[in-house]
Amino acid sequence: MKRNLFLLVLAALTLLPSCNQKPEESQRPNIVFIMSDDHAYQAISAYQDHLINTPNIDRIAEKGVTFTRATVTNSICAPSRAVMLTGKHSFVNGKVDNVQPFNWNQNSFPKMLQESGYKTAMYGKIHLDGIPQGFDNSAVLPGQGHYYNPEFIINGDTTRVSGYVSDIITDMSLEWLNKIKDEESPFCLLYHHKAPHREWLPPQRYFREYISKEFPEPETLFDDYEGRGTAARESEMNILLDMNWAGDSKIYPDVMKEMGIEETLSWDMEAFINNTGRMTPEQSQAWDNTYGPMNEVFKEEYAQMDSTQLMKWRYQRYMQDYLACIACVDENVGRVLDFLEENNLSENTIVVYTSDQGFYLGEHGWFDKRFMYEESFRTPLLVKYPKEIKAGTVSDALVQNLDFAPTFLDYAGINIPKDMQGKSMRQLMSGEDTQWRNAVYYTYYEYPSIHMVKRHYGVATDRYKLMHFYYDIDEWELYDLENDPKEMTNVYDQPAYAEVREMMHHKLDSIRQHYGDTDALNKRFLNEYLEAIGN
């Protein structure tokens, strides 16, 4: 009897994995990393539902964690994506702006996952020059890409694909998932949308619904920037003054000429002509059936509209197209979530929804991003993984896009390289880690450039934010987010905030030293940028 018991125990022990063995492939989670371009957290109903309902994106929040204070390290497309891939700040990975090249030869989390046995793929927008590394399959948009009948670089070859970009990216992603879903190896899919990036061309099925909608205006739509400094006043992101009439508001070029409306930027009409010129006859007819009547109404009303009415009108036009693009993204996210559920993949798949940065939806009268002010600094971040993350969790931890790479590697059982500057969010999301960073760092370099947002860097805590604008000005701004959540008043020189100012300066010096940023690096990147743009 004893001998039989011994043999049973011995047999059981032989079935257990050695502590030195890599986890079984079936135990390592799959990863579906969904990123949209310029998707403001204000336009996700898991955060606030006054603009749009996003039921499918909300499914991730309902079954996982919603981060309320997720931010980016550099609020502009390509640098943000470089940070996401490498887990390093822009001044370390080298991609500080949209002009400098990205070095694909450096380490990244897709490369490390691929090397460890993951099946990897990327479909959609990455906005980094060169052939993507670390992927078994890829089909990416060249540069910004197009909404209608876009070109894709598919494993090195450029091909034009018929259809609407959000649908195509989803079709490609689902086709790849369907091919590899039964394999033993875990997978990592980067499913990256172009939408809702400028110039906001919705799909045909959302034209009529959204062009007739009216949306609430933000309280700060007519901000005069009295409480801020030079940077806010001199930026060129105002919806009325700086948004293109044809490319953005969809006023036909011949209507602009008839009404005597001049182009805002030199490529205003050209953008409209190029974008609509890509459409098939059927797509073009559907467009004209909706946007043609809008143009006729505008012609009748334009002469009687003052600047306030024009600002209100342009805000509504902006929201109608921007949010229609998001409705399509949400629909397609639902298709991917449905696939995972229908194929019994949901339980062992980490699903992330985020954006490459935040975006202004009329706050302070602005569109675009770039500033460290909240709307562009903050980004949506929703994560679900039923095995470890409790459904309906809400976290106000100060996480950043810097943390994606180490988080994915941690879940995959891969040692996080010492030169990655982010932190794994795994234990934070499972509720095991109650000690998290108390401050985050931000940099922005692309000036002088479109929108003319001045170079700056800064530090933010859960309550305060300190920013330094430099190069052609030398100004400091300090905000108390508890008392002034809309950041209307710079309190840097107010005596009541003297101790806070000193504390935040200390935090800024400390965090810059921690990450390795210096004024000398700022000067180097400035000189390289000015040389690249011919200044």
Side-chain angles (χ1 to χ4, degrees):
M1 180 67 179
K2 288 183 178 179
R3 184 174 185 277
N4 290 340
L5 180 60
F6 171 76
L7 290 174
L8 287 171
V9 172
L10 182 62
L13 288 173
T14 60
L15 295 175
L16 293 176
S18 164
C19 61
N20 295 321
Q21 289 179 326
K22 186 172 71 176
E24 292 293 331
E25 295 290 20
S26 61
Q27 296 175 344
R28 298 208 287 171
N30 305 308
I31 299 166
V32 175
F33 183 27
I34 311 170
M35 177 180 280
S36 295
D37 195 306
D38 293 345
H39 191 170
Y41 66 89
Q42 310 95 289
I44 294 178
S45 48
Y47 288 97
Q48 45 190 261
D49 61 3
H50 69 291
L51 289 175
I52 188 172
N53 286 316
T54 51
N56 292 299
I57 297 172
D58 290 0
R59 287 162 63 183
I60 303 171
E62 291 160 2
K63 297 181 179 179
V65 57
T66 302
F67 285 97
T68 63
R69 293 300 304 279
T71 60
V72 294
T73 60
N74 186 348
S75 185
I76 190 168
C77 298
S80 176
R81 293 163 188 273
V83 170
M84 171 270 293
L85 288 170
T86 65
K88 303 172 190 175
H89 274 278
S90 300
F91 49 85
V92 177
N93 69 50
K95 185 62 176 170
V96 297
D97 51 47
N98 279 338
V99 175
Q100 301 301 329
F102 175 65
N103 177 17
W104 278 103
N105 292 325
Q106 64 186 301
N107 214 356
S108 67
F109 80 82
K111 283 186 184 180
M112 298 184 71
L113 291 176
Q114 185 185 47
E115 291 166 0
S116 76
Y118 269 74
K119 298 292 184 182
T120 60
M122 176 169 62
Y123 295 100
K125 183 174 179 179
I126 191 61
H127 200 201
L128 296 169
D129 292 339
I131 304 300
Q133 296 182 21
F135 303 97
D136 303 321
N137 293 84
S138 67
V140 298
L141 297 162
Q144 296 289 2
H146 291 95
Y147 277 101
Y148 279 85
N149 310 312
E151 285 80 18
F152 281 85
I153 303 172
I154 302 176
N155 297 323
D157 296 322
T158 301
T159 303
R160 186 162 177 165
V161 182
S162 298
Y164 185 74
V165 67
S166 300
D167 300 333
I168 297 168
I169 292 168
T170 306
D171 291 343
M172 290 177 169
S173 298
L174 290 175
E175 182 180 359
W176 182 78
L177 285 173
N178 195 49
K179 285 181 180 178
I180 56 93
K181 70 178 188 297
D182 296 323
E183 296 187 15
E184 291 185 3
S185 300
F187 62 79
C188 175
L189 168 65
L190 272 60
Y191 166 49
H192 288 186
H193 283 282
K194 168 187 169 60
H197 193 278
R198 191 182 186 186
E199 282 92 9
W200 316 298
L201 273 70
Q204 178 178 338
R205 59 188 179 276
Y206 286 107
F207 284 170
R208 292 192 179 279
E209 176 185 355
Y210 276 82
I211 204 168
S212 62
K213 284 179 178 285
E214 185 170 343
F215 299 94
E217 299 169 358
E219 294 178 19
T220 59
L221 182 63
F222 293 95
D223 191 350
D224 60 7
Y225 318 116
E226 183 179 349
R228 263 64 47 76
T230 305
R233 291 193 300 271
E234 293 188 358
S235 66
E236 298 177 359
M237 305 197 307
N238 187 271
I239 290 172
L240 175 60
L241 302 176
D242 303 309
M243 189 175 274
N244 281 336
W245 284 96
D248 295 329
S249 294
K250 313 304 189 302
I251 298 302
Y252 289 6
D254 59 344
V255 173
M256 287 178 61
K257 293 174 183 177
E258 181 181 343
M259 305 306 295
I261 300 173
E262 295 184 0
E263 291 184 293
T264 305
L265 297 171
S266 60
W267 43 270
D268 187 345
M269 293 184 188
E270 182 183 355
F272 179 89
I273 293 167
N274 288 343
N275 287 331
T276 57
R278 301 183 62 85
M279 296 178 177
T280 65
E282 180 187 3
Q283 292 166 341
S284 182
Q285 185 62 56
W287 177 275
D288 287 335
N289 287 344
T290 300
Y291 287 86
M294 179 272 289
N295 271 262
E296 291 303 314
V297 172
F298 178 76
K299 283 168 58 177
E300 294 175 5
E301 298 178 350
Y302 175 70
Q304 287 75 43
M305 296 169 74
D306 60 23
S307 60
T308 297
Q309 292 169 321
L310 274 174
M311 177 61 140
K312 289 173 172 285
W313 183 89
R314 299 202 74 181
Y315 168 76
Q316 294 299 332
R317 274 278 53 249
Y318 170 31
M319 287 299 94
Q320 288 162 358
D321 290 341
Y322 178 91
L323 295 172
C325 290
I326 288 176
C328 185
V329 170
D330 183 73
E331 175 189 346
N332 279 291
V333 168
R335 292 174 61 199
V336 172
L337 295 179
D338 289 346
F339 178 91
L340 295 176
E341 291 172 3
E342 291 163 3
N343 289 276
N344 299 315
L345 293 168
S346 287
E347 285 298 308
N348 196 40
T349 300
I350 300 163
V351 178
V352 176
Y353 188 89
T354 191
S355 174
D356 52 354
Q357 61 258 323
F359 213 66
Y360 293 102
L361 303 185
E363 299 88 0
H364 309 294
W366 290 335
F367 67 106
D368 206 69
K369 57 260 185 180
R370 302 166 196 262
F371 274 117
M372 196 186 174
Y373 300 130
E374 284 295 280
E375 289 83 6
S376 64
F377 182 43
R378 279 179 59 186
T379 188
L381 178 56
L382 314 167
V383 186
K384 83 177 185 74
Y385 181 42
K387 286 187 175 181
E388 295 190 17
I389 302 174
K390 183 180 178 182
T393 301
V394 177
S395 173
D396 58 3
L398 299 176
V399 298
Q400 291 194 288
N401 55 347
L402 192 69
D403 302 322
F404 290 136
T407 300
F408 295 144
L409 295 179
D410 189 0
Y411 276 116
I414 301 171
N415 290 331
I416 300 168
K418 291 182 179 180
D419 63 348
M420 280 193 176
Q421 297 176 301
K423 295 178 61 176
S424 171
M425 299 182 288
R426 182 177 183 177
Q427 290 187 327
L428 176 67
M429 293 190 289
S430 68
E432 300 171 60
D433 186 355
T434 57
Q435 300 297 317
W436 191 252
R437 65 168 69 96
N438 60 17
V440 290
Y441 186 54
Y442 180 84
T443 57
Y444 177 76
Y445 302 90
E446 194 165 309
Y447 174 89
S449 183
I450 186 172
H451 300 305
M452 298 301 283
V453 173
K454 295 185 182 295
R455 291 170 177 256
H456 61 292
Y457 57 86
V459 63
T461 67
D462 60 345
R463 177 170 177 175
Y464 300 107
K465 187 185 297 180
L466 176 68
M467 293 179 278
H468 181 213
F469 293 91
Y470 65 96
Y471 171 43
D472 59 345
I473 61 173
D474 181 11
E475 295 182 10
W476 291 87
E477 296 186 13
L478 175 67
Y479 294 94
D480 181 343
L481 298 178
E482 183 176 299
N483 293 326
D484 181 22
K486 293 181 174 58
E487 297 171 300
M488 299 295 287
T489 305
N490 174 21
V491 296
Y492 186 82
D493 291 321
Q494 292 188 13
Y497 283 89
E499 290 185 7
V500 172
R501 182 176 66 233
E502 183 179 356
M503 178 268 291
M504 290 299 289
H505 268 288
H506 176 75
K507 279 192 177 294
L508 180 60
D509 293 341
S510 177
I511 205 167
R512 294 189 83 199
Q513 183 177 6
H514 173 72
Y515 287 125
D517 195 16
T518 63
D519 291 342
L521 278 175
N522 287 343
K523 187 174 182 180
R524 180 191 127 197
F525 292 132
L526 170 63
N527 291 335
E528 290 176 354
Y529 177 77
L530 293 177
E531 182 179 353
I533 65 173
N535 271 20

